[in-house]
Amino acid sequence: MEKLERMGVPKSVVGLVVPTGYSFNLAGSSIYFTLCVIFIAQATNTALPLDRQIVILLIAMLMSKGATGFTGAGFVVLAGTLSAIPDIPMAGLALLLGIDPFMQRGRGLVNYIGNGIAAIAIAAWAKDLDVAELNRRLDLGPDADASFASSAPMPHPQQASAVDDAEAGA
């Protein structure tokens, strides 16, 4: 959240959009659930016409809202998603049991990126985004914060000890 603010997104927008996104902007979970259901359908040789795929997408979007409760909640929600689609066998969940803990991190990362992009988009829509600062930070790259911290002037050792002594006496 601090990095978004340093990129020029107002604190009020970040404070509203990012926490709200953790409940409603779960694109990573929705994508994962949709792909898992389609993978299980392909692995079990279940035919999915286009209209059925659209229904799966809508169900996955709705079910993804419950995937943030606790660690492993995504697998439970995936089971719920499959139960809402009777054509695809539930036994296909066994194919995903081993990789789900690893995929959970990917889902979280995509959700987090989506929340950051949403904050930038809302700030731009409200015409409250510092575009010059955003572009400057993006041009500097991902290590910009580390370079700013290392380029800050360090106090002279004698000045630092004098400050420490003054603080100790207070």
Side-chain angles (χ1 to χ4, degrees):
M1 291 174 74
E2 289 177 12
K3 286 188 177 191
L4 283 170
E5 291 172 21
R6 284 189 296 235
M7 290 178 72
V9 180
K11 187 172 186 162
S12 60
V13 173
V14 172
L16 176 69
V17 173
V18 173
T20 304
Y22 283 117
S23 296
F24 298 107
N25 185 16
L26 300 169
S29 299
S30 181
I31 292 167
Y32 175 71
F33 296 150
T34 304
L35 290 177
C36 285
V37 171
I38 291 175
F39 169 75
I40 292 170
Q42 287 180 345
T44 59
N45 204 21
T46 305
L48 288 177
L50 182 61
D51 61 333
R52 199 70 175 143
Q53 291 177 31
I54 292 171
V55 168
I56 289 170
L57 174 65
L58 295 174
I59 290 172
M61 287 171 61
L62 181 65
M63 297 294 279
S64 69
K65 304 311 175 229
T68 60
F70 56 91
T71 303
F75 198 74
V76 174
V77 172
L78 181 58
T81 304
L82 274 177
S83 70
I85 307 163
D87 308 7
I88 302 171
M90 281 290 261
L93 277 175
L95 296 170
L96 301 172
L97 191 59
I99 63 157
D100 189 69
F102 302 108
M103 296 304 291
Q104 184 174 350
R105 295 181 195 278
R107 282 193 313 262
L109 182 61
V110 172
N111 291 339
Y112 182 73
I113 291 169
N115 292 336
I117 291 171
I120 293 170
I122 296 291
W125 180 51
K127 295 181 174 57
D128 204 11
L129 177 66
D130 185 353
V131 178
E133 181 64 17
L134 175 68
N135 287 332
R136 188 176 74 78
R137 290 287 182 148
L138 290 175
D139 287 342
L140 290 173
D143 297 327
D145 291 328
S147 66
F148 281 130
S150 65
S151 67
M154 297 295 290
H156 191 272
Q158 291 175 341
Q159 292 173 343
S161 63
V163 170
D164 291 339
D165 292 340
E167 287 176 358

